[in-house]
Amino acid sequence: MTTRVCFVCLGNICRSPTAEGVFRHLVAERGATDFVVQSAGTAAHHVGESPDRRATATAARRGITLQGAAARFDAEDFERFDWVIAMDRANARDLRRRAPTPADEAKVHLLRRWDPHNTAGEALDVPDPYYGDASGFDEVLDICERSCAALLQELEAARG
Ligand code: 4NP
């Protein structure tokens, strides 16, 4: 059984390629199999671009490779994924609006639902680092590493 996961942010050049890279890295490290892992953006401005070089450099310092070219998440993409993991509440709202069916809408979750630092279980965002300094990219990596580890554990457990 294959579990198909897509991480989604606004531009698909900073946060979601980072989450994708971290998740792929964890899947490989654990020797987990049967995962399809992708990322996309709710907006089309950066379609075709490689991940932001600041995100790529921050990930590389942690041994994580970012890959792919930015793509927009369209309504038809819901068919291709079981889990659609949004980086912030605006992304989640846009995705739910775009979902063709209630079952598709139910595939949308916030990444920080799995953040072990989110002890109150609040709807927390992965802050957009695009207009900020380098520390924002480290924070995104920290959040992705914590949250993706817990997410992977749950997805593996869910299929027994
Ligand atoms: P991302 O970051 O959604 O994490 O890829 C952004 C990238 C580009 C823009 C905003 C956020 N932008 O406004 O162009």
Side-chain angles (χ1 to χ4, degrees):
M1 186 176 113
T2 301
T3 304
R4 305 164 303 162
V5 186
C6 189
F7 296 96
V8 181
C9 60
L10 177 64
N12 192 210
I13 54 172
C14 298
R15 292 166 293 172
S16 61
T18 299
E20 176 192 341
V22 167
F23 197 86
R24 281 183 193 279
H25 185 83
L26 291 169
V27 164
E29 208 172 62
R30 289 168 65 99
T33 52
D34 294 336
F35 279 96
V36 168
V37 187
Q38 295 264 295
S39 65
T42 58
H45 316 303
H46 296 279
V47 165
E49 291 180 24
S50 296
D52 186 287
R53 66 186 63 209
R54 297 166 294 174
T56 303
T58 309
R61 280 197 292 277
R62 301 186 190 204
I64 293 161
T65 306
L66 304 192
Q67 61 182 58
R72 193 182 111 112
F73 194 96
D74 290 311
E76 313 82 76
D77 292 314
F78 277 100
E79 282 175 30
R80 302 170 46 224
F81 297 102
D82 309 300
W83 296 83
V84 180
I85 309 294
M87 296 297 115
D88 67 30
R89 283 167 283 184
N91 308 146
R93 185 197 60 220
D94 291 344
L95 286 164
R96 288 184 182 123
R97 274 197 200 131
R98 220 166 270 179
T101 68
D104 289 325
E105 203 177 324
K107 295 174 181 176
V108 179
H109 302 276
L110 284 169
L111 179 66
R112 295 193 75 180
R113 171 178 158 181
W114 287 276
D115 186 346
H117 289 198
N118 180 9
T119 49
E122 289 174 70
L124 295 179
D125 297 333
V126 181
D128 184 349
Y130 190 69
Y131 293 106
D133 63 18
S135 68
F137 287 85
D138 268 311
E139 188 187 7
V140 170
L141 254 301
D142 290 342
I143 293 168
C144 287
E145 286 184 334
R146 296 197 300 262
S147 306
C148 284
L151 173 62
L152 176 56
Q153 209 163 25
E154 183 172 329
L155 298 193
E156 283 198 291
R159 59 187 188 185

